[in-house]
Amino acid sequence: MLEMLGIGGLTALAGCNFGGGSSTSTPAEDDTPTPGSSPTASATPGGTPTAGDTPTDGEGTATAEPMERYNPTLQIHRAPPIPADAQYQPYAPTLASWSTMMDNYFWKRSPADSNFYGQLVEEWDYSPGVLDFKVAENAYFWNGEHITAQNALEHIELVDYMEGGATADAYEFIVQTEQLSEYEARLYLSDTYTEDFALQNTLGGDVLTGSSEWYGEYLEQFRDATTTDEIRSIRSTVRNTTEKDPKYFHDGPFKVTDAEEDRWILSLRTSDVTEGDYTPLFVDEINYTTVEVVASDQGQRSIEAFENGDGLFRYVGDDYDPGFETSIIEQTRPIDAFGYAFNCSKPPFDNHHFRRAWAYMCDRKKHTPGGPNNMAVNKIITGLGTDVLESRFDDGGLLDSLTEYGYDEIKRDKAKEEMESGGFERDSGGNWLYQKGDNEGQPIEITVPVHSWQGGSANAATAFENAMADFGINISVQTEDSVSSLNIPLWTAYNRLEYTVGQAYWGGAGPVSTYSNIYGNEFMFGAPGSQFPETIDLPPLGEPDSTVVETFEPVRMANQLAVTNNEEQFNELTKKLIWVTNQAVPKFGVGKNLIRIMLNTEKWDMSLPTADHPDKWIGTPLRAAWNNGGMTFIPEEDR
């Protein structure tokens, strides 16, 4: 039960156990999305001057240096539709899914240096189990309402009620909150996690749900509710709220001033746009006044906008040449992004030799989906990106001993060895047979659900289907968004364990200090989704060909990894979990996201994701630079 301490006393939440992921996710039922993972200490949000850079009036009083602003219209192209009447509250069914790019994060990790930087929060302090933070005093909603610590804590409480479920909290690591002052708050965590873990799994990557002007009455109803049915009824009311005024929901430096079908105009919140005489976060760092968000299929229209200098960037191939000065950024996610999730309690996936055979039969270079993100493969299956491992982790030669499986070829002989080692037999037609369960002695037949909207993934799965058919295993790719036999969403089926294998996607995580979260989430060890055994016998660490076996305890190790602050112990646990992941294949990662972006640097000066500007590159490129001072317009006379 999450408790909230106000300045004046203790308030306990009624109803289910509730608690946090992104404030914009809307689960279909009571299933709770799993938080991600997280390093550093404090940050300076936009609009806050840095010592030594602030001009004064001669008497020591700081004076603002006026910024010269220009009027180019920056075009950002998004996939249609962009509804003219979209609601802005984060749980509305007609919410434009990208609308949160008009908000500031509490804090978020920068891919430039893997550290955290704040936007709504200007500083924080962590001691094991306790996280203090201070909201920036120049943060305002579009209606002019000051954002305070109370807003931040009520955000946690509201998301708790809206997204928590009977079996998991939304913010599962927060057990109590306390408001220390108007702008300062404290979070009490359920254990002495590492600072990185604590930052990511509390408000890391979150945006505010909005002003109390809209959520206040619902929060009071939640607090008064005494049954689960009452909670669900209030959730339904919130989701169907028809409030359309964006001023209650957003806090970023640009405000929607005109909305029509497939086209929104955003205007910089200067004094003639804001409601009141104040300067919001980042406004003083932006020298252009208008952003136009246009519905586009990323085809000819967006190409023309980019080549005219109006478009921010575009995804590109190697052969594209626009004819003017550009820069190219390549961003990769540091862990396996696309692959398969196995239910390790159901035959044949309860046998790790079958999972290893699956990995040997997959040519990951051919199996990697194409498309605008140009998925790239990790050569070694660890659950983590080898580029991150090699640069940040002292593995003592462990990586050299890991099994490569099918990286750029199918290894049929190896797969056959694994099937035989696992006790599987073939029938006269060459089909491999179930060795246990209700289908014992029958040919193995497996259905693989793949999201219908991911054509590249579906095509890659179909290629794998053909390869496995030749090997003697019948795979059927089910291309849809729900498991038809269950009539429930794909991930609901996953969370309820009513699946055998499914397409899986792991979002971006961070460097070595966040491995605890990766190995503790539902795709790996210690959570219901994977059903991975608490103990497993494998060859000793670093000895894949040994005939001797050692008993590993991945669930216990994953739990211990999340709370250890001892570097030597941390490294040893990480090595063992890497080994178990590689040798037992609890999930099978096929590829990782490679995002290749071209920037027009003739008209726009970008703060590229380097160590010089890590605080300006804390999200995807689409929202990382244009709305926080990370890019500036270059007037013609300066080109």
Side-chain angles (χ1 to χ4, degrees):
M1 175 73 73
L2 176 66
E3 296 179 322
M4 191 164 111
L5 286 163
I7 295 177
L10 170 67
T11 303
L13 293 181
C16 308
N17 289 330
F18 309 104
S22 167
S23 64
T24 59
S25 59
T26 309
E29 302 183 28
D30 284 348
D31 300 289
T32 307
T34 300
S37 285
S38 301
T40 308
S42 78
T44 303
T48 304
T50 303
D53 296 332
T54 308
T56 66
D57 60 5
E59 297 181 0
T61 303
T63 60
E65 189 173 290
M67 170 176 283
E68 186 171 2
R69 289 197 172 91
Y70 304 91
N71 298 309
T73 297
L74 172 65
Q75 276 196 2
I76 297 177
H77 291 255
R78 293 302 307 253
I82 299 176
D85 62 346
Q87 298 172 26
Y88 295 81
Q89 65 101 341
Y91 296 102
T94 58
L95 173 76
S97 62
W98 50 269
S99 67
T100 54
M101 70 181 185
M102 294 181 285
D103 291 308
N104 296 303
Y105 296 111
F106 284 98
W107 55 73
K108 190 171 173 66
R109 185 192 307 281
S110 168
D113 63 1
S114 295
N115 289 329
F116 275 94
Y117 293 90
Q119 290 190 326
L120 289 179
V121 169
E122 65 181 9
E123 61 184 51
W124 58 78
D125 181 67
Y126 182 71
S127 56
V130 179
L131 176 60
D132 292 347
F133 65 87
K134 181 182 179 183
V135 175
E137 296 186 26
N138 59 330
Y140 300 84
F141 291 108
W142 286 358
N143 66 350
E145 178 187 342
H146 222 136
I147 296 173
T148 65
Q150 180 177 344
N151 291 123
L153 298 185
E154 288 181 345
H155 159 88
I156 294 172
E157 188 179 3
L158 181 67
V159 175
D160 255 342
Y161 282 116
M162 287 299 299
E163 299 181 22
T167 60
D169 294 339
Y171 287 98
E172 61 179 303
F173 304 106
I174 303 175
V175 294
Q176 185 174 288
T177 67
E178 182 179 5
Q179 185 174 347
L180 304 177
S181 68
E182 183 176 7
Y183 297 105
E184 295 171 305
R186 174 171 293 168
L187 306 180
Y188 296 92
L189 308 186
S190 57
D191 211 326
T192 56
Y193 304 104
T194 60
E195 179 176 345
D196 176 80
F197 187 92
L199 288 173
Q200 179 65 36
N201 291 289
T202 52
L203 295 173
D206 271 19
V207 298
L208 265 175
T209 48
S211 160
S212 58
E213 289 286 329
W214 86 269
Y215 69 68
E217 61 177 300
Y218 303 116
L219 194 54
E220 288 300 321
Q221 292 174 27
F222 276 128
R223 289 167 176 168
D224 292 339
T226 58
T227 68
T228 299
D229 286 344
E230 287 181 280
I231 294 290
R232 289 174 174 167
S233 176
I234 301 166
R235 286 177 179 175
S236 178
T237 300
V238 171
R239 288 171 182 151
N240 290 290
T241 298
T242 57
E243 175 62 67
K244 294 184 175 68
D245 193 334
K247 68 183 182 181
Y248 297 125
F249 307 109
H250 294 300
D251 54 71
F254 285 91
K255 178 180 178 181
V256 175
T257 52
D258 184 26
E260 59 186 52
E261 202 70 23
D262 290 338
R263 178 180 174 273
W264 285 11
I265 296 294
L266 313 181
S267 300
L268 189 66
R269 291 169 63 196
T270 50
S271 58
D272 57 333
V273 175
T274 60
E275 297 184 13
D277 184 18
Y278 62 93
T279 302
L281 287 171
F282 302 116
V283 167
D284 277 347
E285 301 180 48
I286 299 171
N287 76 336
Y288 49 96
T289 59
T290 308
V291 173
E292 181 181 21
V293 182
V294 181
S296 167
D297 60 0
Q298 301 294 331
Q300 188 60 35
R301 187 176 184 182
S302 60
I303 292 174
E304 290 173 357
F306 178 75
E307 292 178 349
N308 290 334
D310 299 324
L312 173 55
F313 64 85
R314 56 176 273 100
Y315 296 101
V316 295
D318 292 331
D319 57 351
Y320 178 72
D321 181 8
F324 52 78
E325 184 180 342
T326 63
S327 291
I328 291 178
I329 296 175
E330 288 189 348
Q331 281 189 320
T332 61
R333 295 183 182 274
I335 61 171
D336 295 341
F338 164 81
Y340 293 102
F342 305 127
N343 186 330
C344 297
S345 68
K346 290 190 175 183
F349 292 99
D350 61 336
N351 188 320
H352 77 276
H353 290 287
F354 183 85
R355 300 193 300 268
R356 286 170 61 88
W358 182 288
Y360 276 123
M361 284 299 299
C362 183
D363 178 347
R364 281 178 284 143
K365 276 196 171 179
K366 291 182 179 178
H367 198 79
T368 297
N373 287 355
N374 300 315
M375 301 284 273
V377 295
N378 284 331
K379 193 166 185 177
I380 305 172
I381 300 301
T382 64
L384 308 166
T386 52
D387 52 346
V388 177
L389 286 169
E390 290 166 352
S391 63
R392 302 188 66 117
F393 177 62
D394 178 16
D395 72 324
L398 174 64
L399 294 184
D400 293 334
S401 68
L402 299 179
T403 303
E404 188 176 292
Y405 297 108
Y407 170 61
D408 53 6
E409 62 177 328
I410 291 173
K411 298 182 178 179
R412 188 183 301 271
D413 291 342
K414 286 286 190 181
K416 180 175 179 291
E417 288 178 15
E418 290 296 337
M419 294 294 286
E420 292 172 347
S421 296
F424 293 93
E425 297 179 350
R426 281 178 160 173
D427 64 14
S428 58
N431 299 303
W432 291 100
L433 307 177
Y434 283 102
Q435 57 166 181
K436 62 167 70 171
D438 295 340
N439 297 317
E440 183 177 355
Q442 299 297 313
I444 295 174
E445 296 184 350
I446 300 169
T447 298
V448 180
V450 177
H451 287 299
S452 60
W453 46 268
Q454 291 187 334
S457 300
N459 293 338
T462 301
F464 186 48
E465 175 183 25
N466 296 333
M468 291 293 270
D470 292 339
F471 182 60
I473 295 176
N474 183 14
I475 287 180
S476 175
V477 176
Q478 183 173 303
T479 311
E480 53 184 301
D481 291 336
S482 64
V483 180
S484 58
S485 60
L486 303 172
N487 196 30
I488 54 178
L490 182 61
W491 289 113
T492 303
Y494 181 87
N495 290 332
R496 293 180 181 178
L497 313 181
E498 299 176 72
Y499 80 106
T500 302
V501 59
Q503 175 190 1
Y505 175 82
W506 294 269
V512 66
S513 53
T514 67
Y515 292 179
S516 52
N517 176 263
I518 299 167
Y519 287 126
N521 73 20
E522 77 251 40
F523 299 121
M524 297 294 283
F525 313 112
S530 70
Q531 290 293 283
F532 199 76
E534 291 192 5
T535 63
I536 186 168
D537 291 337
L538 296 169
L541 185 71
E543 302 176 33
D545 299 323
S546 174
T547 57
V548 177
V549 296
E550 178 181 337
T551 300
F552 292 86
E553 302 176 279
V555 176
R556 179 191 62 78
M557 291 189 297
N559 292 334
Q560 191 174 2
L561 187 66
V563 298
T564 183
N565 286 292
N566 181 290
E567 184 176 358
E568 183 177 348
Q569 183 185 46
F570 183 90
N571 279 354
E572 189 61 28
L573 288 168
T574 302
K575 288 179 185 179
K576 289 182 178 180
L577 288 168
I578 287 172
W579 181 249
V580 173
T581 302
N582 179 260
Q583 295 295 298
V585 197
K587 62 118 180 180
F588 180 59
V590 173
K592 61 182 179 183
N593 240 346
L594 172 64
I595 304 175
R596 196 164 187 265
I597 302 147
M598 179 174 284
L599 306 167
N600 180 339
T601 51
E602 254 188 18
K603 291 188 177 182
W604 300 96
D605 180 24
M606 305 291 294
S607 295
L608 300 180
T610 67
D612 294 333
H613 307 282
D615 59 321
K616 297 303 181 188
W617 207 268
I618 64 169
T620 63
L622 186 59
R623 63 170 295 172
W626 66 268
N627 69 348
N628 69 2
M631 64 177 286
T632 54
F633 176 71
I634 304 172
E636 191 166 354
E637 60 270 22
D638 294 336
R639 292 175 198 164

